[in-house]
Amino acid sequence: MKAPAWSRDRLEAMETPQLKQLMANAQQRGASTLAADCEAVLLERSPKPKPSAPSSGKRRAGNYVCEFHFVCEHDRGVTSDGDRFFWSGSWVVSEEEVIKSIQQGAKLALHNARDDLSYRQGKIIDYRKADRDMVKKRNVGIEFLVAADEQPLAWFGDGTGEKGYKWASDARHDEQADR
């Protein structure tokens, strides 16, 4: 009995489990051409990786946070430090990210709600560790010393929490989109 001819159309019409079984059988019997054809059809069926959204807010290797956004209703924990300077209140953020961000001239923005423009913002010039009065595993936070400016910022960042990050790659993407 002669083996059936396996046209590309016939392979594409098969269900995935059947096609996988045929490929395994072909490999066991040394029918390398058929096995390769099966593999090619299976690869075409595999889901294509989605391109990452340019504003995903996720950490990327070699990047830094260029804007920290926090929901801080009514200046909760904020203290003045001279005419144009303020301490942000305590936030749980990575000290490593804070150091990189300050070196790159990052900004901080405080918002009453995520949908509102910031009511306080400016360039971060220093930080200090501070105890947090919350019952959490991580009870040490970071307070930012900020040189205030008058330019409100729109919220940036993913998720539903009280903080959002704008990564440097997001800022570069925004600049390219503006061109």
Side-chain angles (χ1 to χ4, degrees):
M1 178 173 194
K2 187 177 176 185
W6 295 101
S7 69
R8 179 74 178 202
D9 290 340
R10 188 169 176 197
L11 294 175
E12 289 174 351
M14 294 179 76
E15 296 289 324
T16 299
Q18 294 170 321
L19 191 56
K20 287 180 178 178
Q21 185 61 52
L22 179 61
M23 183 176 78
N25 291 344
Q27 289 169 336
Q28 285 178 344
R29 292 178 174 86
S32 57
T33 303
L34 177 58
D37 290 345
C38 292
E39 184 177 19
V41 172
L42 287 169
L43 283 173
E44 289 173 5
R45 290 183 184 179
S46 61
K48 306 290 184 259
K50 295 179 183 176
S52 62
S55 60
S56 68
K58 301 281 188 285
R59 179 168 200 240
R60 295 169 187 89
N63 266 342
Y64 63 92
V65 178
C66 62
E67 290 179 9
F68 290 87
H69 292 263
F70 300 110
V71 173
C72 180
E73 295 173 342
H74 311 295
D75 275 346
R76 181 186 68 233
V78 175
T79 56
S80 180
D81 191 350
D83 276 347
R84 297 195 59 241
F85 300 91
F86 67 91
W87 287 97
S88 67
S90 181
W91 300 96
V92 176
V93 295
S94 163
E95 185 177 14
E96 178 185 333
E97 291 301 333
V98 170
I99 292 168
K100 284 194 291 187
S101 297
I102 291 173
Q103 290 170 344
Q104 298 295 327
K107 294 186 130 203
L108 176 135
L110 301 179
H111 303 259
N112 278 316
R114 294 166 56 99
D115 293 336
D116 297 342
L117 289 175
S118 60
Y119 64 87
R120 275 191 194 261
Q121 61 282 319
K123 182 179 177 182
I124 303 168
I125 57 173
D126 202 0
Y127 78 98
R128 64 185 176 200
K129 291 182 183 179
D131 289 331
R132 290 178 50 97
D133 56 358
M134 300 175 76
V135 182
K136 294 231 179 207
K137 289 182 182 177
R138 296 173 66 184
N139 60 357
V140 175
I142 300 287
E143 288 185 348
F144 297 89
L145 179 59
V146 179
D149 65 38
E150 300 299 319
Q151 185 62 45
L153 298 172
W155 179 269
F156 198 94
D158 290 342
T160 59
E162 64 181 5
K163 60 186 171 185
Y165 301 144
K166 184 172 189 176
W167 294 91
S169 62
D170 296 323
R172 285 192 296 274
H173 175 74
D174 290 348
E175 288 169 7
Q176 290 170 353
D178 289 343
R179 292 181 189 161

